[in-house]
Amino acid sequence: MKKFVMGAIVGASLSLGASVLASNFPEVSFFPVKYIFNSVEKQLPEEYASLNYNGHAYVPIRFIAENTKMNIGYDDNAKEIIVNYGENGQPAAPVQLSEQVQPVASARLPYQALRGTFTYGNVVVTKEGSNSRVSFQLDNDIPDNEIGGNLTLYDSKANPLGNAVINHTFKAGISTYETVIPGDATNYKYVALGIGKSGGALLDRTTHPSTAEIENNAIKIIESKKVPANKIANLGDKILNVSRIISSMKLTDKEAAELVDNITSN
């Protein structure tokens, strides 16, 4: 029991005294869970365990740290668990770009917000009763920037599952935004972030394109990914959704083809 408790709370290579375990740790139960890092499942080593206490999950911090590029240590004299991340006091880029849909060397986060210069990523959607809790990270260069918009979540066929409305003042750098939306959106595959307000003011739309112009522009975006004309014609009312996803997530030609095939196949 001592081995598993240490693994679940502070990591197996950190050593806590037996008296601490005996006096401070309540009864807990083990439960099987999967660990997903940036959409990649990682197996929990045998020396670690996940615990359930009073409805809360307690996870092995060393395992989490090793898979999120953090550095962890335990000071037995001071009884301190120390977590270091980033360089020179700056937060580390919270994802490995190689695990994103499309690596972008010049961006700290992999996706591009529509109608804005912001990048975003690390989208996490979890079930909460009959609702879904949505969180993501936004990279913002303007201090105390009041931003408005919405994050739309889509399934594998570009059907919208829900919109996370954003109306928040973000600090400069990478910040996490979290909200709850109605319904179950946990089976999402694609996202698109649209920004309509920055600096507390609505973004200026100097031109007002017609519906035909909007659709023609969407078709050009899809065509740029070498999608055949006959498949584009079969997208129907999904054309705008597909173009939004391609633009926002920077899909490769192969990924765009997969999306279109999912929609047009029987």
Side-chain angles (χ1 to χ4, degrees):
M1 175 62 115
K2 175 181 175 182
K3 173 183 176 182
F4 285 107
V5 169
M6 286 195 298
I9 303 301
V10 297
S13 66
L14 307 181
S15 59
L16 299 177
S19 61
V20 174
L21 290 171
S23 61
N24 291 347
F25 284 101
E27 291 186 6
V28 294
S29 60
F30 300 99
F31 69 116
V33 292
K34 293 181 179 179
Y35 288 86
I36 311 296
F37 297 89
N38 290 336
S39 302
V40 178
E41 182 178 351
K42 302 291 180 68
Q43 295 297 319
L44 189 67
E46 291 182 357
E47 65 265 30
Y48 294 139
S50 307
L51 306 180
N52 185 331
Y53 169 64
N54 198 27
H56 294 281
Y58 290 79
V59 300
I61 191 170
R62 181 170 295 282
F63 176 68
I64 300 298
E66 289 171 349
N67 284 279
T68 52
K69 304 307 177 185
M70 295 187 296
N71 185 30
I72 184 171
Y74 176 66
D75 186 329
D76 188 43
N77 292 326
K79 296 296 184 288
E80 293 177 341
I81 296 173
I82 304 165
V83 180
N84 293 327
Y85 61 95
E87 297 179 358
N88 301 321
Q90 298 299 316
V95 298
Q96 293 185 54
L97 293 177
S98 61
E99 294 182 355
Q100 296 297 332
V101 170
Q102 169 72 355
V104 182
S106 62
R108 294 178 68 188
L109 291 173
Y111 310 144
Q112 180 70 47
L114 301 180
R115 292 193 65 219
T117 58
F118 310 100
T119 55
Y120 71 102
N122 296 330
V123 181
V124 177
V125 182
T126 56
K127 194 77 166 58
E128 189 170 287
S130 60
N131 301 319
S132 295
R133 181 168 292 278
V134 179
S135 65
F136 68 96
Q137 291 184 308
L138 180 80
D139 191 2
N140 162 54
D141 292 332
I142 305 172
D144 298 324
N145 190 3
E146 185 181 341
I147 296 174
N150 65 81
L151 179 77
T152 306
L153 299 110
Y154 301 90
D155 65 14
S156 61
K157 294 182 178 290
N159 295 307
L161 299 175
N163 283 296
V165 176
I166 302 150
N167 191 6
H168 181 72
T169 300
F170 289 84
K171 295 181 179 179
I174 295 176
S175 301
T176 300
Y177 181 79
E178 186 175 74
T179 188
V180 174
I181 64 173
D184 184 359
T186 55
N187 64 329
Y188 81 99
K189 183 170 183 179
Y190 301 105
V191 294
L193 175 62
I195 300 294
K197 180 175 68 174
S198 179
L202 295 177
L203 296 181
D204 181 31
R205 185 185 289 273
T206 56
T207 60
H208 298 275
S210 65
T211 301
E213 289 173 325
I214 293 173
E215 183 169 313
N216 287 336
N217 183 59
I219 291 173
K220 289 179 181 178
I221 291 172
I222 301 172
E223 286 177 337
S224 71
K225 297 299 174 180
K226 302 183 176 68
V227 177
N230 63 314
K231 289 191 175 183
I232 296 177
N234 290 332
L235 288 175
D237 60 1
K238 300 285 185 65
I239 286 178
L240 296 184
N241 291 353
V242 171
S243 67
R244 284 196 75 199
I245 293 168
I246 288 174
S247 298
S248 188
M249 296 187 72
K250 296 183 169 72
L251 297 189
T252 64
D253 292 357
K254 181 179 179 181
E255 291 157 350
E258 176 188 357
L259 170 57
V260 172
D261 287 342
N262 284 338
I263 298 170
T264 57
S265 62
N266 294 325

